Amino acid sequence: MSQIQAEAKTFTFDEFIEWYPENSERRYELHHGVIVEMPKPRGKHSQLTGYLIEKLFINIREIAKGDIWFIPRESIVKPNSNQSGYEPDIIVLNQETIGSETRWSTESVIQNATSVKLIVEVVSINWRDDYYDKFGDYEEMGIPEYWIVDYAGLGGRDFIGNPKQPAFFVCELIDGEYVKRLFRGNDLIVSPTFPKLNLTAQQVFDL
């Protein structure tokens, strides 16, 4: 998502959570100590995110995890760094392990990779956050699977080629590092967490 700087001073994660307006209709993230306002998703971004949530819900039921895995309306992920905090476009959480999250019930904060099955970021103008910062932070945390959905082909040419074109990346954590797989066109998206997804990259991009 593109960003608007909300506060000029630098914050720690705890200060960011304390600052976060209660019942705010706006979304904020902490990037290297700076609070930024995340514009409300609109148009295709919002439609695509909703579509993926629907598909994931269907798959969660198909693999008999409906009583165990869930997708919250909102949550804030705290990476190992004390200077950042992210609100993913989609996050799939594990009910069996979320009891270890001491800040979940009061602050909707996720700190442990064991609570997370999947994180999805839908790319907007500030694509570097998804391809660099969040990629590195989620990898360091040990998040098992991370999708980068670049439906508008905004990412760097080193990632999506030249000329730029839409790209769907599935990043799987193997031996502590993400192995990134690129899907385009009629490629069937292969997800280790959701083996029954039955969805092509083009079906996502065509929304």
Side-chain angles (χ1 to χ4, degrees):
M1 299 274 303
S2 59
Q3 305 173 7
I4 302 170
Q5 186 169 317
E7 292 283 344
K9 65 167 286 187
T10 58
F11 290 74
T12 66
F13 182 83
D14 288 343
E15 289 170 339
F16 165 61
I17 295 300
E18 185 177 353
W19 170 92
Y20 208 111
E22 188 174 357
N23 301 320
S24 174
E25 293 185 1
R26 300 178 184 271
R27 297 173 61 219
Y28 298 93
E29 290 188 343
L30 183 68
H31 291 217
H32 306 291
V34 178
I35 296 175
V36 292
E37 179 184 339
M38 311 302 288
K40 183 178 179 180
R42 300 183 185 278
K44 186 169 182 177
H45 187 289
S46 182
Q47 182 183 6
L48 188 153
T49 302
Y51 176 77
L52 287 176
I53 289 173
E54 179 183 0
K55 289 293 184 182
L56 289 171
F57 271 133
I58 291 171
N59 274 261
I60 288 170
R61 290 194 294 269
E62 286 181 344
I63 60 178
K65 298 290 186 180
D67 295 330
I68 302 173
W69 297 357
F70 67 101
I71 301 174
R73 182 176 178 270
E74 58 186 27
S75 65
I76 297 176
V77 175
K78 181 189 180 301
N80 294 346
S81 164
N82 197 38
Q83 298 293 317
S84 296
Y86 308 126
E87 185 173 348
D89 287 308
I90 304 171
I91 187 169
V92 180
L93 298 176
N94 186 354
Q95 185 70 41
E96 291 181 319
T97 56
I98 204 166
S100 64
E101 297 287 354
T102 58
R103 305 177 69 167
W104 170 250
S105 61
T106 57
E107 299 171 314
S108 298
V109 170
I110 295 296
Q111 302 177 93
N112 303 314
T114 54
S115 303
V116 182
K117 304 307 296 183
L118 170 70
I119 287 180
V120 181
E121 298 287 3
V122 179
V123 178
S124 287
I125 296 171
N126 201 26
W127 57 268
R128 289 175 178 82
D129 289 341
D130 300 323
Y131 280 99
Y132 290 111
D133 293 346
K134 294 180 182 181
F135 179 96
D137 283 341
Y138 293 155
E139 180 183 64
E140 186 180 21
M141 283 184 72
I143 302 300
E145 187 170 348
Y146 169 43
W147 295 357
I148 303 173
V149 184
D150 194 349
Y151 70 91
L154 297 173
R157 291 178 178 85
D158 283 347
F159 297 105
I160 63 175
N162 189 16
K164 294 186 177 185
Q165 54 184 312
F168 192 118
F169 290 97
V170 172
C171 309
E172 179 185 3
L173 194 72
I174 298 177
D175 296 330
E177 297 180 4
Y178 277 142
V179 175
K180 187 166 55 181
R181 295 187 62 182
L182 169 62
F183 299 91
R184 282 197 169 112
N186 292 322
D187 294 340
L188 196 65
I189 297 166
V190 178
S191 165
T193 307
F194 293 92
K196 297 184 178 182
L197 190 62
N198 194 27
L199 183 67
T200 69
Q202 198 61 50
Q203 285 176 298
V204 177
F205 303 149
D206 282 345
L207 285 176

